[in-house]
Amino acid sequence: MNDSIKENHSFCIDKQLRRHIEREDYYCYYFPVPLLHRVSFLGGCTCSRRLKLLPLPCSAGGVIVMAKLVKAPIRFLPQEWNYSNKTHYNNAEVQRSRSERLVAESERLVDEIENTTRKTQRDVNKKLEQRIEEITYWKKELNTKLDELIIENDLLLAQKTRLLKALDKLQEPLCIAQQCLVNRENRVGIDLVHDEVERELMKEVEVIQGVMALLQRTLEQTDEQIRLNRSAQFYLEKDLKDKFTALTVDDYAASMTNNTPDISYVANVVRIEGNSVTPQEWIDFTNTNIVKADKQKNSSKALRSLIDSILAETTNDVLKQNEAVNLAFKFRIQETKDAKCKLEVHLNRVLSEIAAQEKNIDLLKKTIMDKEGPLKLAETRLDTRTKRPNVELVRDPAQYRLISEVQEITTNVDRLRETLGQAEMELKGLRRNQLALEEDIQVKENTLYIDDVLNSNLRKSISVNYF
């Protein structure tokens, strides 16, 4: 029939219609309009897959009838229906419980933050009070030192006697102390430490230089000492002025409350100023000024003392510090020798542990390789049993045991590999420690050569006499 239709009527379908037909699963038939009522029986055919007729007009004067297969809707089992309901119940219960926990946590958080804020404000107020007390204390100390220094400036006298010989004799111990410090700079690694020996040597240099400076200042004019006293006085006065300003600021800050009228938000205020200092640095700064003032005051007093007393005291200081340096050298050398011995003991233990860890790694690798056979066997058995025909493909206990066997072997192999990785990491760590210990032993040998040979021989030539 289609061939006869094509002979009498042109089969013309618009481009838009053709694209629609190509996208959908339609069967297309062309009928002239007079014949359309004769094919209406197609809509009434019955079969397992129904036909849906869609008549569309055509530019050729006829109608194109498209028939599409309509599939039946998916049907579900009662068990699936029940499972869907239970899933919705459980989801609703979980969401409700989570919401309840969030509400309770929110209430707890609000109370906690309120208590924390009040506690923090109390702590800030306490800290401000402590700070004010501390500034007041140091301000009082500075005032006391400033008054003493001003009085001492009025009493300054100078005497000149027997000082050139003393200055010449102090050159030798000073040079030896400085040379010891230079030699100790040749220490390497961790032994380049600011230890007690270095502190005592630096203190010895400072003591000798202080003595020489004191003796040299005694030879100078009284005006020079007055100038130094005035310099210390300037720093004390400047520090006092700063502390008065800081005290005023902190008093005002401590008097503020949450209801103070002029409080407001301040942008970028939560920061640490680049030129700020730590509390210890603040104390050290003031203490340094006080120490400087005391030093100048003591220098002025020394200038007013008898030269014999000055020389006796300075000589005692040099001798005392010389003994302290020698004692520090003795303890440090013994400490370094003990550390070297302990390092050698630990090195031997590390070497033993490296050998044991290497055996452990070999054992783990062998165990992993030994598990390849059982794993291959279990997987091959599982694969072989999949070839059972039809109903013989039973999920029997043997099947489940094979599956658990594969999982068990795989898990054990993973554990072995994890342990192997840890063992290899430990081995690397042990070898790094071995290198570190060997290097540290060499460092200790170098330190012993510097302190026990070079510096000890130098210090034997020091001779300090009373002038």
Side-chain angles (χ1 to χ4, degrees), residues 112-124:
E112 178 186 347
I113 291 176
E114 180 64 23
N115 293 333
T116 301
T117 302
R118 293 176 180 175
K119 181 180 178 181
T120 301
Q121 281 193 341
R122 289 195 299 269
D123 186 58
V124 168

Side-chain angles (χ1 to χ4, degrees), residues 256-280:
M256 291 183 180
T257 64
N258 292 333
N259 299 321
T260 301
D262 56 348
I263 62 173
S264 62
Y265 292 107
V266 182
N268 299 326
V269 72
V270 183
R271 67 183 186 274
I272 301 299
E273 297 293 341
N275 59 347
S276 61
V277 298
T278 64
Q280 187 59 45

